[in-house]
Amino acid sequence: MTAYQYYMAEEEWGRGKGIRIAHIDSGINEWHPHVGRVAGGIAFQVNEEGKIVTAAGYQDDLGHGTAVAGVIKEQVPDAEILAVKIFHDQLFSYIEVLCAAIEWCIEQEVDFINLSLGVKTDLDSLQFICAKANEAGVMIVSACDEQNALYWPGYYGSAYAVQSLENGKSQSFYFHPEQPVQFQTSGFPRSLEGPMQKFNFQGHSFAAAHMTGFLAKIKEKYPEAETIEKMNQVLMDIGKHPLST
């Protein structure tokens, strides 16, 4: 099998102008200096009657969504980001809520959905909505933690799976078009000032955010890359460093 290595710093890329990214996570705090204003957002949750309801507020009570959004903004500062909150008092939600959030993102006609999460269960409803997103030109980039069996939706052919590299560099990534996990890149977040850096998050979630940013830059330059299949072709065409695996 063939893998490709990319060094984003070797070429001139845009800043994400004209690209819309929906970030499904614990919300976003716009006052954070790494993020700033976002283009809007929504919150999904299950009420006491067991129904999925929405709210306008997307403030981040956990910090995870804001930290991940900071990585996306660092890569593509001119992209529009929509905050889609599905985590509230803990990093847990229902797959049905995730499906509803993806459906909303499709309706918003975003270019990418960043999922700094993965789930253990392969459900027909999740597979269906991911296929619907890809057909609509909405590419899903999902963190994949194989060690903890958090495979989905990244393992679907209609979504991208991303894992962090222990020694990955912030402006490079590997593309494995024939493997379930197509991308590997740095899992380190945007740096925090001073001693706070040692408390910073890191891992697959941030690798997914880096890849969302890289792919957004590529789509800005190659707007024909509207689906997973078309993006794969662009990546193979521009790949400069084929490797044997």
Side-chain angles (χ1 to χ4, degrees):
M1 292 185 286
T2 302
Y4 298 87
Q5 188 174 12
Y6 300 79
Y7 297 97
M8 298 299 286
E10 288 185 348
E11 293 187 26
E12 290 292 328
W13 299 96
R15 293 163 50 92
K17 186 176 181 179
I19 302 296
R20 287 167 58 84
I21 300 170
H23 174 41
I24 299 179
D25 205 299
S26 60
I28 294 177
N29 291 326
E30 295 180 285
W31 49 260
H32 196 286
H34 288 175
V35 181
R37 297 286 295 174
V38 299
I42 193 170
F44 289 83
Q45 62 187 115
V46 176
N47 66 13
E48 294 180 355
E49 288 76 36
K51 296 181 179 180
I52 298 174
V53 296
T54 62
Y58 48 82
Q59 180 176 336
D60 183 6
D61 299 316
L62 299 175
H64 187 269
T66 301
V68 172
V71 172
I72 299 173
K73 288 292 286 186
E74 183 178 33
Q75 292 290 354
V76 280
D78 292 345
E80 291 187 7
I81 295 182
L82 296 174
V84 185
K85 181 176 180 175
I86 65 169
F87 301 137
H88 296 269
D89 56 351
Q90 58 181 321
L91 291 174
F92 169 83
S93 189
Y94 297 97
I95 293 180
E96 292 80 4
V97 174
L98 174 59
C99 291
I102 293 173
E103 179 75 52
W104 183 85
C105 295
I106 296 171
E107 294 171 355
Q108 304 308 306
E109 299 182 344
V110 300
D111 298 287
F112 295 93
I113 297 174
N114 182 78
L115 292 179
S116 290
L117 58 92
V119 300
K120 293 184 177 181
T121 306
D122 175 15
L123 291 181
D124 290 343
S125 56
L126 181 59
Q127 187 170 2
F128 172 82
I129 197 65
C130 290
K132 181 179 179 179
N134 189 49
E135 291 170 3
V138 179
M139 282 178 276
I140 296 174
V141 183
S142 174
C144 182
D145 183 351
E146 292 183 304
Q147 184 175 354
N148 291 303
L150 300 174
Y151 303 128
W152 315 103
Y155 265 30
Y156 297 139
S158 56
Y160 280 132
V162 186
Q163 286 185 340
S164 64
L165 280 173
E166 185 174 346
N167 297 313
K169 297 181 179 179
S170 63
Q171 293 300 317
S172 68
F173 67 92
Y174 292 90
F175 174 48
H176 307 272
E178 301 170 15
Q179 295 184 15
V181 178
Q182 299 97 327
F183 294 110
Q184 293 175 310
T185 190
S186 168
F188 287 95
R190 190 166 180 172
S191 295
L192 295 175
E193 296 296 329
M196 287 302 294
Q197 180 62 30
K198 68 180 180 179
F199 300 109
N200 212 350
F201 296 107
Q202 60 180 288
H204 303 303
S205 294
F206 295 92
H210 281 295
M211 275 313 312
T212 295
F214 295 150
L215 293 172
K217 292 178 181 180
I218 291 169
K219 185 174 181 184
E220 182 182 0
K221 192 170 183 177
Y222 300 93
E224 67 273 17
E226 297 176 333
T227 63
I228 298 289
E229 296 78 15
K230 292 179 180 179
M231 179 63 77
N232 286 350
Q233 187 58 57
V234 168
L235 288 168
M236 288 185 283
D237 289 344
I238 68 174
K240 294 183 178 179
H241 305 279
L243 305 170
S244 298
T245 60

